[in-house]
């Protein structure tokens, strides 16, 4: 052993040369560390047992042939003995204790197990001689020294010179794995030990700084040259502002916070030295190495997303999140969004994080964009909060363009919704259009009246803010605050104010007419020839009356509050009805107490109600004038008239019968000419009443023929009506021929213009609502009590309603019925039903009085 304190002259020349060669040889990582096996001799597992030798001793002998017997190319002459022996000799050679053994076989001239016996003979081929490889010192100039000998003194002098930075960097680079970037825990720590034991902290820090400068220079050159090599190696997405490197989660850690250096997180401990951290930084930041066990665990990636793509990804129900989560995410993995910082946080493994980024990019490529005029849905400015809410409900992004006066709607189209399969059906822009149309405009041909029962000048009622009925309201009504006017509880034994009679309704009350039962016509829509005009509208108008029960809520925001009760009855203060239903067990008592056993007490029904409004026309002066040359064809005339609607056209209501999750046929089509709503405030009762009366005409004909009528066949033909899976998609618009007598124009104006009331006008209608109603009906007090579960889609939500309708009848009995008695009896029944405390308040059964 040589002491480090001895001078160079105390060491012999041979030892000094040996140390010099070791010092100048580059430091290399052992191949066995990285699993790389170089060709060489096989080792023997035992000294007494020989096994096959991969090398060829003949090749070693050929290397020892003098240079004069070889060709200029360095190969053995074809006539040499060694070449002929290798070509003809097929015996195997083995290596045992540095001796070459040649394997041969000899016959024993006897049989063994019925076959000629032989024995294997190993002949000694002499000692194995390795090829001499002379080691020469480095000669950077590639020039021979004087007299062809090594300059010992120059090598010793060079040994005393310090290493330059270039040599240190080359030695560090020699340890870098050539291909593998993911190592096992054991291999990673061994390589870390080689760096910490073989180099100084200053050398590792200088290597890191040099790598950082080289990377910045390379990126600037690529930016100036306009190349995309870096983007091809690591895909960049234009919707990402910034993305953090994947950071592993430590064991029993729910989140990662305040990470100063992500490359060291999970790879070093808090007690690690500065030199160990520098070595790990070289391996992580410069070489891109990672530990396989760490990559297989959970980690986090934070993505800073641009504003518009972030809104698309986080709108509404986030359907893309559900789809990708079911396909790619395992238990413990998740997506998280921060609306304040506009960031997405992926909790996944390292390999899955890149896969999710690609899927998100493919999802954002499905963005669609459409627009429509502001004048079609609003006459004034629209609050930004309303646009934000309708965008949240419809999973869209709605913006108002001040320059073009349009609403720009963008959304993510589902991948399974192709352009061919959804051609002509309602898209998200059409959905936004109809939601804004119905929320910002009153229902056409509708009048309202507000009255209060049981209220006088001495009453001391007050408005109480409602906090429980928000889920039963429409999407726009859920944005505001509402209050109900109520009276304090009356003393027991005193007369109730709710016993006061109700005022007479605007329209007469007629009994309900039993309509013919619909038949299955779904197959007829596709197989039967379309008939243009097989049916006509009814000549006489019918009136239906329905009473709904709930809370009459009045707007009570900071900007608008309800006025005192006398002023409230005289003004048109915003109000809405929040449906309220009794417990089903209370309704079941009416069925058991009914003694009419000769009729069906319970009637169940599933109906799809589709409503249409006349399409808006904000600029009537832009209608094309009709030429009077008489050469126009009728289809062209109908198309021109359908393009610009008539605002006086009636509302249409299409009812489809369903059962078993499928549409069975057309029940009826109504043209509603007039609607009157009477809101009755009952401050002393648990609930209020809304009486809705509609005056309508029915499209007469059998249900099978209704389905083949051309307008309905064009509307229902491409529609997707799958109740079992909740898929209800129809065309957004449809033209219907409507007689002029059903319009809301006065008869005097029609007479002055000389128009025939029976003339049919083709009018363009817009789909404004679709509801799936599942109802159960029972008799109650001579009326029809119906409990209905309503699914109104994303705009109306889900709610339950209870309603009363006048007594059932047929067309013959309706003409002979006393409408005056029916009117009074119906209002009395409605008032008694609303004032029954046991139905709404849960009082004991002994206090029930109905």
């Amino acid at each position: 052993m040589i002491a480090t304190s001895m001078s160079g002259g105390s060491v012999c020349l041979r030892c000094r040369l040996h140390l010099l060669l070791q010092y100048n040889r580059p430091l290399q990582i052992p191949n066995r560390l990285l699993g790389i096996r170089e060709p060489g001799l096989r080792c023997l597992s035992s000294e007494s047992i020989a096994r096959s030798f991969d090398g060829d001793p003949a090749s070693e002998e050929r290397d020892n042939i003098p240079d004069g017997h070889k060709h200029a190319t360095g190969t053995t002459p074809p006539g040499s003995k060694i070449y002929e022996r290798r070509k003809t000799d097929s015996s195997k050679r083995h290596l045992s204790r540095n001796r070459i053994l040649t394997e041969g076989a000899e016959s024993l001239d006897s049989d063994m197990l019925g076959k000629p016996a032989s024995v294997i003979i190993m002949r000694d081929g002499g000692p194995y001689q390795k090829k001499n490889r002379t080691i020469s010192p480095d000669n950077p100039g590639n020039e021979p020294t004087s007299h062809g000998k090594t300059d010992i003194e120059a090598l010793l002098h060079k040994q005393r010179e310090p290493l330059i930075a270039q040599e240190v960097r080359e030695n560090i680079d020699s340890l870098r794995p050539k291909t593998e970037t993911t190592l096992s825990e054991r291999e990673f720590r061994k390589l870390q030990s080689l760096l910490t034991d073989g180099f100084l902290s200053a050398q590792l820090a200088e290597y890191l700084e040099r790598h950082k400068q080289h990377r910045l220079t390379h990126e600037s050159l690529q930016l100036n040259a306009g190349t995309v090599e870096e983007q091809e190696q690591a895909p960049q997405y234009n919707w990402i502002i910034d993305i953090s490197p994947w950071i592993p989660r430590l064991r029993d850690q729910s989140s990662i916070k305040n990470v100063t250096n992500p490359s060291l997180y999970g790879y070093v401990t808090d007690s690690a030295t500065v030199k160990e951290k520098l070595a790990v930084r070289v391996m992580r930041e410069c070489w891109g190495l990672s530990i396989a066990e760490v990559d297989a665990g959970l980690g986090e990636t934070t993505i800073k997303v641009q504003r518009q793509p972030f809104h698309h990804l986080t709108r509404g129900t986030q359907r893309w999140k559900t789809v990708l989560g079911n396909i790619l995410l395992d238990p413990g993995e998740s997506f998280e969004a921060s609306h304040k910082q506009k960031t997405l946080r992926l909790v996944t493994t390292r390999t899955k994080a890149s896969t999710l980024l690609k899927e998100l990019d493919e999802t954002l490529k499905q963005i669609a964009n459409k627009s429509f005029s502001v004048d079609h849905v609003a006459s004034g400015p629209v609050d930004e909060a309303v646009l934000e809410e309708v965008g949240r409900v419809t999973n869209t992004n709605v913006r108002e363009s001040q320059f073009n006066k349009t609403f720009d709607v963008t959304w993510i189209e589902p991948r399974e919704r192709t352009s061919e399969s959804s051609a002509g059906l309602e898209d998200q822009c059409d959905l936004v259009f109809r939601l804004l149309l119905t929320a910002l405009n009153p229902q056409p041909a509708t009048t309202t009246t507000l009255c209060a029962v049981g209220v006088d000048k001495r009453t001391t009622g007050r408005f109480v803010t409602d906090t429980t009925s928000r889920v039963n309201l429409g999407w726009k009504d859920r944005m505001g605050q509402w209050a109900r006017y109520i009276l304090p509880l009356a003393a027991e034994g005193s007369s109730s104010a709710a016993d006061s009679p109700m005022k007479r309704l605007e329209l007469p009350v007629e009994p309900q007419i039993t309509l013919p039962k619909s038949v299955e016509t779904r197959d007829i829509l596709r197989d039967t020839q379309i008939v243009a005009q097989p049916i006509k509208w009814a000549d006489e108008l019918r009136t239906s009356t329905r009473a709904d029960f709930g809370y009459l809520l009045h707007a009570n925001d900071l900007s608008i509050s309800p006025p005192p009760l006398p002023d409230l009855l005289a003004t048109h203060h915003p109000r809405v009805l929040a449906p309220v239903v009794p417990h089903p067990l209370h309704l079941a008592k009416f069925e058991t107490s009914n003694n009419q056993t000769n009729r069906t007490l319970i009637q169940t029904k599933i109906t799809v109600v589709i409503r249409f409004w006349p399409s808006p026309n904000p600029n009537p002066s832009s209608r094309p004038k009709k030429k009077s040359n008489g050469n126009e064809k009728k289809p062209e005339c109908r198309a021109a008239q359908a393009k610009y609607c008539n605002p006086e056209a009636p509302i249409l209501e299409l009812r489809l019968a369903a059962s078993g999750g499928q549409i069975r046929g057309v029940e009826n089509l109504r043209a509603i000419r007039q609607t009157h709503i009477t809101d009755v405030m009952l401050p002393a009762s648990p609930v209020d009443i809304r009486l809705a009366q509609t005056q309508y005409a029915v499209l007469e004909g059998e249900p099978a023929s209704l389905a083949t009528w051309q307008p309905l066949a064009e509307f229902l033909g491409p529609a997707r009506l799958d109740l079992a899976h909740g898929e209800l998609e129809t065309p957004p618009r449809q033209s219907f021929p409507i007689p002029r007598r059903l319009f809301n124009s006065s008869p005097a104006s029609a007479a002055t213009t000389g128009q025939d009331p029976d003339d049919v006008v083709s009018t363009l209608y817009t789909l404004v609502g679709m509801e799936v109603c599942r109802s159960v009906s029972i008799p109650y007090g001579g009326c029809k009590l119906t409990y209905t579960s309503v699914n109104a889609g994303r705009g109306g939500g889900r709610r339950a309603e209870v309603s009363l309708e006048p007594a059932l009848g047929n067309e013959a009995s309706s003409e002979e019925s006393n409408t005056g008695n029916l009117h009074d009896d119906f209002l009395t029944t409605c008032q008694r039903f609303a004032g029954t405390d046991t139905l709404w308040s849960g009082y004991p059964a002994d206090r029930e009085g109905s």
Side-chain angles (χ1 to χ4, degrees), residues 453 496-502 547 549 582 587 590 593-594 680 682 684-689 691 779-785 802 804-805 821-841 847-850:
V453 177
S496 176
D499 297 336
S500 303
M502 297 171 56
F549 300 88
L587 298 179
F590 298 127
S593 61
N594 199 313
V680 181
L682 299 176
S685 300
V687 293
D688 302 313
I689 305 175
L691 296 164
Y780 174 79
C783 299
K784 177 183 176 182
L785 177 63
V802 61
L804 279 176
E805 294 177 285
N821 295 336
L822 182 61
H823 175 277
D824 297 339
D825 295 343
F826 177 70
L827 294 184
T828 302
T829 304
C830 293
Q831 190 171 359
R832 183 174 69 250
F833 183 79
T836 304
D837 295 337
T838 55
L839 290 176
W840 313 98
S841 304
R847 294 186 56 183
E848 179 179 352
S850 60

Side-chain angles (χ1 to χ4, degrees), residues 647-714:
E648 298 178 351
I651 300 174
L652 296 185
E653 187 176 277
L654 175 63
R655 294 174 178 266
L656 304 178
S659 64
Q662 294 182 356
I663 302 297
R664 299 301 179 183
V666 178
E667 186 174 303
N668 60 68
L669 176 63
R670 298 181 180 183
I672 301 176
R673 188 173 183 269
Q674 180 185 0
T675 301
H676 184 79
I677 296 177
T678 303
D679 290 332
V680 181
M681 298 173 55
L682 299 176
S685 300
V687 293
D688 302 313
I689 305 175
R690 167 167 286 184
L691 296 164
Q693 293 183 289
T694 59
Q695 196 176 48
Y696 64 93
V698 180
L699 190 66
E700 296 179 340
E702 295 296 329
S705 59
L706 290 178
T708 61
W709 189 43
Q710 183 176 359
L712 289 181
E714 292 176 353

Side-chain angles (χ1 to χ4, degrees), residues 7-26:
S7 61
S10 301
V11 183
C12 66
L13 182 60
R14 181 178 180 182
C15 293
R16 292 172 67 184
L17 289 175
H18 182 69
L19 292 174
L20 178 62
L21 294 176
Q22 287 186 346
Y23 179 78
N24 291 333
R25 184 180 302 141

Side-chain angles (χ1 to χ4, degrees), residues 140-304:
N142 294 329
E143 298 180 358
T145 58
S146 60
H147 308 291
K149 298 181 180 179
T150 304
D151 191 353
I152 303 299
E153 295 298 333
L155 293 177
L156 295 177
H157 178 71
K158 185 178 180 180
Q159 180 186 7
R160 298 186 182 94
E161 296 178 357
L163 290 175
I164 61 176
Q166 181 63 24
E167 293 177 337
V168 175
R169 289 194 294 269
E170 291 177 355
N171 288 337
I172 296 177
D173 284 333
S174 64
L175 297 178
R176 180 176 182 174
K178 297 301 184 291
T179 57
E180 296 293 333
T181 58
T182 303
L183 307 177
S184 63
E185 177 80 21
R186 182 171 173 269
E187 294 172 348
F188 189 91
R189 297 308 175 189
K190 282 188 177 182
L191 185 55
Q192 179 185 350
S193 300
L194 289 175
L195 289 174
T196 54
D197 296 341
F199 301 94
L200 302 177
S201 299
Q203 294 172 339
L204 297 176
E206 194 274 339
Y207 185 86
L208 280 169
E209 185 65 24
R210 182 79 175 184
H211 176 78
K212 182 179 180 180
Q213 295 178 359
H214 176 73
R215 183 181 60 183
L216 294 177
T217 304
H218 184 64
E219 291 178 354
S220 62
L221 292 176
Q222 282 190 345
L223 183 61
N224 295 332
T227 59
V228 293
E229 295 179 359
E230 192 72 19
Q231 295 182 358
E232 291 177 356
Q233 295 178 359
Q236 301 294 329
Y237 306 107
N238 54 6
W239 50 274
I240 294 180
I241 299 177
D242 186 24
I243 182 172
S244 66
W246 183 84
I247 303 176
R249 271 188 180 182
L250 301 181
R251 187 174 299 176
D252 300 333
Q253 186 180 21
S254 59
S255 62
I256 300 175
K257 299 180 180 179
N258 301 328
V259 179
T260 57
N261 195 338
S263 62
L264 298 180
Y265 196 86
Y267 287 85
V268 296
T269 59
D270 296 336
S271 60
T273 62
V274 177
K275 191 175 184 180
E276 291 175 344
K277 293 181 180 179
L278 288 173
V280 175
R281 287 186 60 190
V282 169
M283 300 169 63
R284 297 277 295 139
E285 298 177 12
C286 302
W287 299 347
L289 301 181
S290 61
I291 300 176
E293 290 81 357
V294 176
D295 291 348
L298 292 180
E300 296 183 7
T301 302
T302 303
I303 307 169
K304 180 73 173 179

Side-chain angles (χ1 to χ4, degrees), residues 268-435:
V268 296
T269 59
D270 296 336
S271 60
T273 62
V274 177
K275 191 175 184 180
E276 291 175 344
K277 293 181 180 179
L278 288 173
V280 175
R281 287 186 60 190
V282 169
M283 300 169 63
R284 297 277 295 139
E285 298 177 12
C286 302
W287 299 347
L289 301 181
S290 61
I291 300 176
E293 290 81 357
V294 176
D295 291 348
L298 292 180
E300 296 183 7
T301 302
T302 303
I303 307 169
K304 180 73 173 179
V305 186
Q306 294 182 2
R307 181 176 176 271
Q308 293 298 332
F310 182 82
H311 285 329
H312 294 319
L313 293 175
T314 56
R315 283 292 184 184
T317 58
Q318 302 179 20
R319 190 163 143 186
W320 63 270
K321 185 176 178 181
T322 304
V323 174
L324 294 183
N326 295 336
I327 298 175
L328 298 177
L329 296 186
D330 294 329
E333 300 176 338
S334 63
F335 292 100
E336 297 178 7
S338 174
H339 293 269
K340 184 178 181 181
Q341 301 177 355
K342 300 294 186 297
T343 57
L344 292 177
R345 182 164 159 263
L346 309 182
V347 181
T348 58
T349 60
R350 182 179 182 180
T351 55
K352 194 174 294 185
S354 59
T355 303
L356 288 174
L357 285 178
K358 294 180 182 178
E359 292 294 333
L360 288 176
D361 184 64
E362 292 295 329
T363 300
L364 290 174
K365 289 181 180 178
Q366 304 295 324
I367 293 179
N369 185 9
K370 290 180 66 176
S371 61
F372 58 90
S373 176
V374 176
D375 297 333
H376 286 176
V377 295
S379 57
V382 181
D383 190 2
E384 187 67 25
V386 175
L387 300 181
E388 185 71 19
E389 180 65 15
V390 73
R392 186 193 65 83
V393 172
T394 58
N395 298 337
T396 60
N397 184 26
V398 185
R399 296 179 300 168
E400 182 178 359
S401 176
Q402 298 295 339
F403 179 75
N404 298 326
K405 297 297 182 180
T406 59
F407 285 127
D408 297 331
V409 183
T410 55
W411 71 94
I412 298 178
E413 193 73 38
R415 298 184 187 180
E416 62 273 8
R417 185 184 172 95
T418 60
S419 58
E420 295 80 7
S421 61
S422 60
L425 298 180
E426 184 184 44
D427 55 22
Q428 296 301 104
C429 182
D430 298 323
L431 178 60
V432 172
F433 176 83
R434 66 178 173 92
L435 290 183

